[in-house]
Amino acid sequence: MTIAERHAQILLQLKNKGYVRVTDLANNMDVSLVTIRKDLKTLEERGQLFRAHGSASLRQPNTFEKHVNEKESLHVEEKSRISQQAASLLKAEQAIVIGSGTTCLAFARSLPTDLPLTVLTGAMNISLSLMNLERIELIQLGGMVRKSATSVVGPYAEEMLSHFSCNTLFLGVDGLSPDFGLTTSNALEAHLNKQMIKSVEKTVVLADSSKFGLRGFGKICEVEDIDLLVTDDKVSEFLVKEFEERGVEVLVA
């Protein structure tokens, strides 16, 4: 296989899968890891991909914090379908935790109005959206306010969370990948999310397909630490299979 043929094959796999691993490329093309790394470096210099440790993607993998008002206008239809799919999983009398972020806000707005639930959240905009639902008992975590996310973080929120045991966590993320795991753009938010995972029996991640392959500054957990992923139908079958092979159930809305 010539250099040009390898480059074409790499770009084709990236188009179909969203990202590729160096080891997989080397095995499939029967060349060394050094050769593949050189190929990826060349393609990156041409602006055709982005390299990360041990992998490559078609877009910049690092994601940075955006204000909640900006994020709320992105991928609205996908977030709506994901939220409705996730809301259909709820049962009466459950105690649930809802993380912060615009997908979680859309999920909160999709909760059945006639279903008795206890909802614990650190997101103030989510609390406000549920304020008038009589059948929902609402618990707002306290702590340091992240104004860009209208949510609280820090040791006070984590200490308060430690007093509760809930059924299910519905968690939003800024990035997720089979290899690096789940991330968010704020380190304090990531640490609070870790504590949320510890406080529940089941973790459900709500993430539209644009989050796949991205990495935020703060790592939340490994892929194996979650139970269910709800996403939209733009996600590649390759990525769905990657998560399923790690024991994660995937629902495509």
Side-chain angles (χ1 to χ4, degrees):
M1 184 178 289
T2 67
I3 294 176
E5 289 172 336
R6 286 201 310 273
H7 289 182
Q9 183 64 25
I10 290 169
L11 293 174
L12 178 61
Q13 289 193 39
L14 274 173
K15 181 180 178 181
N16 293 335
K17 298 178 179 179
Y19 90 115
V20 291
R21 294 191 187 94
V22 172
T23 52
D24 291 342
L25 291 172
N27 291 334
N28 293 339
M29 299 184 194
D30 195 24
V31 295
S32 69
L33 296 176
V34 173
T35 297
I36 292 298
R37 290 191 182 104
K38 288 180 179 179
D39 288 338
L40 295 179
K41 182 179 179 181
T42 299
L43 291 171
E44 185 178 49
E45 289 171 348
R46 294 176 184 171
Q48 293 178 283
L49 55 77
F50 292 91
R51 288 186 299 161
H53 180 68
S55 64
S57 62
L58 284 175
R59 54 183 177 154
Q60 168 60 254
N62 298 315
T63 182
F64 303 97
E65 188 166 3
K66 298 177 182 177
H67 196 281
V68 65
N69 292 342
E70 179 183 354
K71 293 167 69 175
E72 195 168 1
S73 63
L74 302 174
H75 311 289
V76 175
E77 182 181 341
E78 289 84 355
K79 291 174 184 176
S80 176
R81 295 203 309 269
I82 290 168
S83 300
Q84 291 172 29
Q85 179 75 67
S88 71
L89 304 173
L90 293 168
K91 298 179 181 179
E93 308 296 343
Q94 283 186 318
I96 66 172
V97 182
I98 304 179
S100 64
T102 53
T103 309
C104 285
L105 177 59
F107 167 70
R109 290 170 174 169
S110 299
L111 296 185
T113 59
D114 60 344
L115 193 67
L117 296 168
T118 298
V119 174
L120 187 152
T121 186
M124 294 176 290
N125 54 356
I126 288 176
S127 289
L128 287 172
S129 72
L130 300 175
M131 188 72 71
N132 296 320
L133 298 185
E134 295 182 0
R135 306 215 70 186
I136 289 183
E137 182 179 346
L138 187 59
I139 300 171
Q140 169 69 57
L141 294 178
M144 184 174 68
V145 176
R146 282 184 65 208
K147 294 182 179 179
S148 63
T150 65
S151 66
V152 299
V153 293
Y156 296 115
E158 292 173 15
E159 198 280 331
M160 185 176 176
L161 182 66
S162 69
H163 294 282
F164 300 95
S165 176
C166 299
N167 301 107
T168 306
L169 165 64
F170 292 89
L171 180 67
V173 297
D174 288 327
L176 70 166
S177 72
D179 296 324
F180 193 72
L182 283 65
T183 56
T184 187
S185 55
N186 182 275
L188 289 175
E189 186 79 56
H191 198 270
L192 177 60
N193 291 160
K194 282 184 181 180
Q195 305 312 308
M196 288 179 170
I197 291 172
K198 292 179 181 179
S199 72
V200 299
E201 300 168 0
K202 181 177 182 179
T203 298
V204 178
V205 173
L206 312 178
D208 67 77
S209 54
S210 72
K211 306 290 179 65
F212 286 81
L214 297 183
R215 295 184 183 186
F217 177 69
K219 183 169 180 175
I220 300 170
C221 67
E222 304 292 346
V223 167
E224 289 81 0
D225 295 325
I226 68 174
D227 301 288
L228 174 64
L229 169 64
V230 187
T231 187
D232 63 77
D233 58 7
K234 294 179 182 177
V235 67
S236 73
E237 293 182 6
F238 170 79
L239 284 171
V240 170
K241 184 178 179 181
E242 286 275 295
F243 278 83
E244 290 178 337
E245 288 178 348
R246 284 166 168 77
V248 179
E249 181 184 357
V250 180
L251 290 181
V252 178

